Amino acid sequence: MRPYLFVVCLFGWLAQAQAQELELDLSDEPPSSSSRFAPSLAFTGIHPVGNRQAERAKHLNAEFQRELTAATQAGRFSRLLGPQEVLPALKTLQKTPSECKDKACLESLAATLGVDRVLSGALTPSGPGSLLTLWGYDSTMAQPTTETAESPEREQKQQTSGFTGLVKPSKTKTEAEFLARARSAFHRMTATLDAGLGKLVVDAVESSAQVSLSGKEIGRGSFETLLERGRYSLLAEAEGFLPFNTEVHIQPNKVELVKVLLVAKPLDKPFSSRAWKSPDPDRKNKPIYARPGFYVALAGLAAMGTGVYFGLTAKSIEKRAVDENKNNILGITRKEANQAKLYALLANILVGGGGAMVAGGTIWMFVAPGKVAENPLDDVDGQIGVVMGIGGTF
C-alpha cells in the first residue's frame, strides 16, 4: 500500500471514531419523516398490588424499559421519561401510580411532564396467578387505551385438576409463557401510542399576532409546533386588525401550513358632515374699530404715507440736481445722491407693502369667514378635508 493511501485511511478512521464519540450522524441516509413527528412518552412503570406480585413486576419493568429505550432509539418516540422522572410529578398531583389511570389524571400528568403520551401499568392478583393491566393515554382518544395479559396459572390448574399423571409445568416455563403474553400486550399498546404527530406551520406577516388553537394560545407571529391529530379551530388576533379564523386538520406525519392574513380595522370614529362651528359667531356685530383688520389697514396707510414722503424727497433731490446742472453750478454732493437712491428704494417698499396691508386689512375688517368643520377630516358631500366658506358682511 502506498504511504499516502495509508494516511488517508487512517485519517478517515479517526474522523469516524471522533464522530461516534460526539454522537454525530455521518450516514448518507436522511432521517425518516416519521421520526421527525415522533411523540414523547412517559412510562410510570408496572406497579404491583400485594407482595406476591413484586418479583414479577420487577422483571416486567426491566423488560419494558429495555423495549421502550430501543423504540426511542429507533425513532418511534422522540423522548422517553422513566419511572424515576414520573414519580415526582405524581407526588405533585397527590396521586399514586395505581390511582392515576383515568383520563383526567393521565392528562394532568402529561401536561406536568410536558409529554404527548403516557404508559402506565399494574400487576394484580388473579386467582393463583397475576393479571397485567396497561393503560395508554393519548389526548385524541375519549378514554385511555387498555390492554391486559393474564399469567397461565389458572389455566394450568384447570388442566391438571382431576387428572392423574399430568405434570404441572415448571416455574421457569410458567414465567416464560407469562412474559410472552405480557410482551404481546405491551407491543399492542406501544403500537397504539407511537402514532406520529402532525406539524402546524403558521406564517404570519404581523409579528405581534397572537395565535390560539381551540381557545389555547400556542404562539405569536410565525412559528411551527407539533400537534396531535385532529381538527382544530385557529384564531389569530393583533391590535388594530380584524380577527382571523380558520379550521386546520392535523394528520399524522404531515405538515399543515396556515397563512395568517390580517385585515386592518376601520377607523373607530366615522366621518360626519353635521359637526360645524363658527369661530366667532358675533363677529359681524362688532364695530369697525374693534376688528383687527382695521388696525392692519391703518398701519398700511401709515406705511404708504411714509413711502410717499420718501418718494417726494428723492424727487426733490433729483430736481435740484437737474436745475443746478443747467445753471452750470457744481451740483449736489455724493452723499445727497446716495440719499436720494435710498429714499427712492424705501418709497417703493413702503408704498407697495402698505398697499398690501391696506387691502388685506380691509378684507379682514369687512369680510367674515364662514363656518369651519369641527373635525379637519370630516366628510362633506363625499369629500374629505377642511371646508371653509366666505360670507360677506359689507
Side-chain angles (χ1 to χ4, degrees), residues 11 13 48 66 158 164 202 206 218 224 274 298 370:
F11 179 77
W13 178 80
R66 284 194 296 267
Q158 292 175 351
T164 57
V202 177
E206 183 61 36
I218 59 171
E224 58 184 42
R274 295 176 296 176
L298 192 62

Side-chain angles (χ1 to χ4, degrees), residues 50 127 165 328 333 386:
N328 295 323
T333 63
V386 179

Side-chain angles (χ1 to χ4, degrees), residues 5-17:
L5 292 178
F6 174 77
V7 172
V8 171
C9 293
L10 179 61
F11 179 77
W13 178 80
L14 291 175
Q16 183 70 22

Side-chain angles (χ1 to χ4, degrees), residues 197-234:
L197 303 172
K199 179 179 288 187
L200 172 65
V201 178
V202 177
D203 183 9
V205 177
E206 183 61 36
S207 60
S208 64
Q210 176 181 317
V211 181
S212 302
L213 209 61
S214 298
K216 181 181 179 182
E217 182 179 351
I218 59 171
R220 290 180 176 271
S222 298
F223 62 93
E224 58 184 42
T225 183
L226 293 175
L227 296 171
E228 293 283 3
R229 61 191 180 276
R231 294 186 179 275
Y232 301 87
S233 175
L234 185 143

Side-chain angles (χ1 to χ4, degrees), residues 48-101:
V49 178
N51 296 330
R52 189 161 58 93
Q53 312 300 323
E55 190 64 25
R56 276 183 169 174
K58 181 179 178 181
H59 290 160
L60 290 177
N61 272 317
E63 181 68 23
F64 292 165
Q65 189 69 43
R66 284 194 296 267
E67 294 266 359
L68 290 174
T69 301
T72 304
Q73 293 174 349
R76 293 174 60 190
F77 298 102
S78 62
R79 184 165 61 104
L80 174 64
L81 298 181
Q84 293 182 347
E85 294 90 356
V86 175
L87 291 179
L90 283 171
K91 290 182 180 179
T92 303
L93 298 175
Q94 298 180 349
K95 294 284 187 178
T96 62
S98 57
E99 293 174 341
C100 194
K101 55 187 179 181

Side-chain angles (χ1 to χ4, degrees), residues 100-119:
C100 194
K101 55 187 179 181
D102 59 285
K103 183 176 181 180
C105 182
L106 292 174
E107 186 174 22
S108 299
L109 180 61
T112 303
L113 296 171
V115 296
D116 304 305
R117 314 283 162 79
V118 179
L119 174 59

